[in-house]
Amino acid sequence: MSEELKTSKIPREDYEQLIDPYKEAMTRLEVRINGLNEDYRKKYRDYPIHNVQARIKSKKSIEHKLIRRELEVSAYSAKDNLTDIAGIRVICYFIEDIYTILSLIKEQTDLLVLKENDYINYPKPSGYKSYHMVMGVPVYRVDGMQYYPVEIQFRTLSMDLWASMEHRICYKDETSEETLYAFRHYASELSEMERRMKQLLTETRRENPKEPMV
């Protein structure tokens, strides 16, 4: 990797112009997801989503990612090569909830599914679990409509706890094998805890069928 590439920067003005349509796409999708959750709650007296988090990749983060991939560091290169400039994290209660909201999003005819990775049924070796999807969201400008990618990560509360702690504690080049082993073990423990919590919820609702689910 050349020294010139390592020190390359995207001009601030170019960055602001780059992220503007991504912000709109992200906001549109976030509003849609929250709307689906609210509509589901009204119809079924239940809701699959605990919370939704949205973020736009920083200029520095975009630059670092392009450099790691040994790509040209520019706004044009970022637009052509990166699909996670805009990102949404959907935190659900249980795995079943993830697939519920996932199916509802896929039914939105104006959105495009660009990419999917199921790390729930096929976890990473580290123990990481999540469902990743890249959606194409239409953004309208005076010169026409264009789809912009927004990455969505679906996690349960326990998956998000694991991922947050793993990110906080583990460093790829410095973490001991004992710590990595512990996190793989914790992933299994959290999955089992979540399964038992779901069972408790099912039993509670069976015993109290008229209890409002709000």
Side-chain angles (χ1 to χ4, degrees):
M1 186 184 301
S2 68
E3 290 300 320
E4 182 180 356
L5 179 61
K6 289 180 181 179
T7 57
S8 297
K9 302 290 183 183
I10 298 174
R12 172 57 61 176
E13 183 178 356
D14 290 356
Y15 170 74
E16 296 296 339
Q17 291 178 355
L18 167 70
I19 65 172
D20 188 52
Y22 287 93
K23 284 182 178 179
E24 183 173 337
M26 180 185 70
T27 300
R28 284 173 177 267
L29 188 53
E30 183 181 12
V31 169
R32 184 77 59 88
I33 291 170
N34 281 321
L36 289 170
N37 191 50
E38 181 62 20
D39 192 44
Y40 192 92
R41 183 189 69 81
K42 290 176 180 178
K43 186 174 182 179
Y44 297 108
R45 298 188 305 120
D46 196 4
Y47 44 97
I49 298 175
H50 178 265
N51 68 77
V52 178
Q53 306 160 6
R55 66 102 185 99
I56 290 289
K57 217 171 186 63
S58 69
K59 186 172 87 74
K60 185 176 181 180
S61 182
I62 290 174
E63 291 166 349
H64 285 177
K65 191 160 191 176
L66 291 172
I67 290 169
R68 286 198 306 272
R69 294 188 178 184
E70 299 190 4
L71 297 168
E72 177 190 355
V73 180
S74 70
Y76 293 106
S77 179
K79 185 175 184 297
D80 288 343
N81 294 287
L82 304 184
T83 59
D84 62 345
I85 292 174
I88 294 176
R89 185 169 296 156
V90 180
I91 310 300
C92 297
Y93 290 91
F94 302 104
I95 289 176
E96 294 84 353
D97 296 328
I98 290 178
Y99 289 104
T100 293
I101 199 67
L102 190 60
S103 66
L104 292 174
I105 291 173
K106 287 183 177 182
E107 291 173 0
Q108 306 298 297
T109 57
D110 59 330
L111 304 177
L112 300 178
V113 178
L114 304 178
K115 184 180 179 182
E116 292 181 86
N117 292 106
D118 187 351
Y119 298 119
I120 295 176
N121 287 312
Y122 306 96
K124 292 186 177 182
S126 64
Y128 175 84
K129 291 183 178 182
S130 184
Y131 196 105
H132 291 196
M133 172 187 285
V134 178
M135 300 296 296
V137 182
V139 175
Y140 294 85
R141 289 291 187 266
V142 293
D143 53 352
M145 185 275 284
Q146 185 174 350
Y147 286 94
Y148 281 82
V150 179
E151 182 187 66
I152 314 177
Q153 294 181 0
F154 298 90
R155 297 176 181 171
T156 63
L157 285 162
S158 66
M159 292 174 193
D160 192 54
L161 170 63
W162 186 97
S164 298
M165 291 296 115
E166 194 268 351
H167 181 74
R168 178 70 177 84
I169 295 171
C170 296
Y171 298 88
K172 293 181 180 178
D173 298 328
E174 302 174 12
T175 307
S176 68
E177 185 59 38
E178 290 80 7
T179 300
L180 296 174
Y181 175 82
F183 267 90
R184 288 192 290 270
H185 179 65
Y186 296 153
S188 298
E189 287 189 326
L190 285 168
S191 292
E192 177 60 18
M193 180 193 72
E194 183 181 303
R195 186 192 67 78
R196 292 182 180 182
M197 290 288 189
K198 176 62 175 178
Q199 186 176 358
L200 283 174
L201 177 63
T202 301
E203 291 172 356
T204 299
R205 288 179 174 174
R206 187 184 300 119
E207 294 169 1
N208 301 279
K210 295 183 180 181
E211 185 72 20
M213 302 173 188
V214 296

